[in-house]
Amino acid sequence: EGLRGLWRGHGATLLRVVPYSATTFATFDTYKRLLRQASPALGDVEVRFVSGAAAGATATALTYPLDVLRARMAVNLDSRAAFDGYWRALRHVVRTEGLGALWSGARVTLLGIVPYSGLSFCLFETLKARLEDSGGGALKTHQRLGAGALSGLLAQSATYPLDVVRRRMQVDAERRRSELQVAREILRGEGVRGLYKGLSMNWV
């Protein structure tokens, strides 16, 4: 496959990342404002978590089919790409597996993105506020980078098993298994470590 094989499916990832990130950040402040208006008694941490979770869930629901295509494009079959183009991948999946296959694993993804996005935004906003209070002013670039890196690291580590289950469901949608069945298969065949396979690469 050559060097290009390491980037298989990357185009689909980029197609998803742009609308996903844009939707997430655009809706976070909106949800936060609406939540403060609807529930003034909620504390800052709770508002940040719920707003982040809602923003992540919204972005995921809108862009999930692109994530499925990205996963399918990255799979190898007989040392060749499973699909040689996004449009062909879309047509093949819909024709052979039905429209519902584009949402295979969506439930577990939403179950995972709620705590992940909630924790990520909550930790970042809270760390940023604490650093601003202790420093007495706006954060420097390296402080923002550090807060963002730590927030993402902790949130990703806490919710990674759900991400593993989601990817298994995406690339093997024809078996029509539930999230619990997939998790049990992983635990039975690979042990607890199987639920964290690839976590160190995500950290990088």
Side-chain angles (χ1 to χ4, degrees), residues 5 10 16 24 50 88 131-133 154 162 167 174:
H10 186 56
R16 173 184 175 271
T24 301
V50 175
R88 288 188 181 183
L131 289 171
E132 287 174 344
D133 290 342
L154 294 174
L162 288 170
R167 294 196 184 282
E174 293 181 350

Side-chain angles (χ1 to χ4, degrees), residues 67-125:
D67 194 42
V68 172
L69 292 180
R70 181 210 59 75
R72 296 297 184 92
M73 290 289 293
V75 172
N76 286 331
L77 294 178
D78 298 325
S79 300
R80 294 179 297 174
F83 306 107
D84 59 0
Y86 305 122
W87 178 242
R88 288 188 181 183
L90 176 64
R91 289 192 301 175
H92 177 82
V93 170
V94 173
R95 184 173 63 251
T96 61
E97 303 174 39
L99 191 63
L102 293 174
W103 301 93
S104 177
R107 183 169 55 187
V108 73
T109 301
L110 289 171
L111 288 174
I113 203 64
V114 166
Y116 169 75
S117 189
L119 282 172
S120 183
F121 273 100
C122 179
L123 288 170
F124 177 70
E125 292 287 321

Side-chain angles (χ1 to χ4, degrees), residues 169-183:
M169 293 183 71
Q170 284 179 335
V171 300
D172 195 14
E174 293 181 350
R175 294 182 64 185
R176 304 295 183 187
R177 298 164 297 171
S178 69
E179 296 86 353
L180 187 58
Q181 287 175 320
V182 174

Side-chain angles (χ1 to χ4, degrees), residues 13 18 26 35 58 60 95 107 114 129 134 141 159 180 201-202:
T13 299
V18 173
L35 193 57
T58 300
T60 298
R95 184 173 63 251
R107 183 169 55 187
V114 166
S134 62
T141 301
T159 60
L180 187 58
M201 289 298 295
N202 268 33

